[in-house]
Amino acid sequence: MTFHGTRQGTNDRGNFGRATSLSVALLSLALAAGLSQACGGDPPTLTSSDVTNIPAGTGSGTALSGSYLVTGGSLTGCHCRTGSCSQFRSGAGGRYVVDQQGGALIVLLQGSDGESTQLSGSVNADQSFKVGGTVMNDDQGPLLIQRAFQLVTGVFEVKNGQPTGFHAGIDLTINLQAPGAVYDCDFAGTTDAMFTGP
């Protein structure tokens, strides 16, 4: 699914929409429900140190590697210090591509809009995992700055030694500055994905 921002009172995405789509491609794969009705308590505010340099876990082999299709999710919290959660909307689509190398895990989040983000971290012998990543991008011009920090923690489901999917919690902090729009927001949610093959 895709996840975009719109200027309040308009349907014109423009530069703001493109920037927001890049920043929150991370979250777009995690939430199957719209964000217009924010709920739950305040999610944590993440920084780079929360989502990088996650050490390898106790996992072994490569059996969890493959493609996982997003099948659902829910929003459990949203808090904006600047801007409003109601300015974001969600659509459909999204996929995770997982690469397991022993206790190390790399997850590529692929949005239906073609944007992708890489997360890296750990997986353990009990199939639990934690991956994180950052987006830092000011390529769209001097008036547009975006930062995003994401942490995903979950458990793979395995049957007869083969993965069938996973369920995870997700935390995301975004900072977006664009002409006519400034957002500094934290999101929390859950995501479900089904294994579709190597």
Side-chain angles (χ1 to χ4, degrees), residues 83-150:
S84 170
C85 295
S86 66
Q87 294 307 299
F88 298 91
R89 60 181 176 84
S90 61
R95 181 175 299 276
Y96 298 84
V97 178
V98 172
D99 180 16
Q100 179 193 12
Q101 299 294 327
L105 199 67
I106 295 176
V107 178
L108 185 66
L109 311 183
Q110 296 179 332
S112 59
D113 59 359
E115 298 299 333
S116 63
T117 302
Q118 180 174 298
L119 308 179
S120 60
S122 66
V123 60
N124 295 309
D126 63 359
Q127 320 306 333
S128 63
F129 70 93
K130 177 167 69 172
V131 292
T134 66
V135 170
M136 299 286 189
N137 185 8
D138 59 3
D139 294 341
Q140 310 258 340
L143 298 180
L144 181 109
I145 301 171
Q146 55 181 330
R147 298 179 179 87
F149 308 99
Q150 184 178 28

Side-chain angles (χ1 to χ4, degrees), residues 147-170:
R147 298 179 179 87
F149 308 99
Q150 184 178 28
L151 190 66
V152 180
T153 57
V155 178
F156 286 95
E157 299 163 355
V158 177
K159 184 176 182 180
N160 299 324
Q162 296 297 318
T164 60
F166 68 77
H167 176 77
I170 183 169

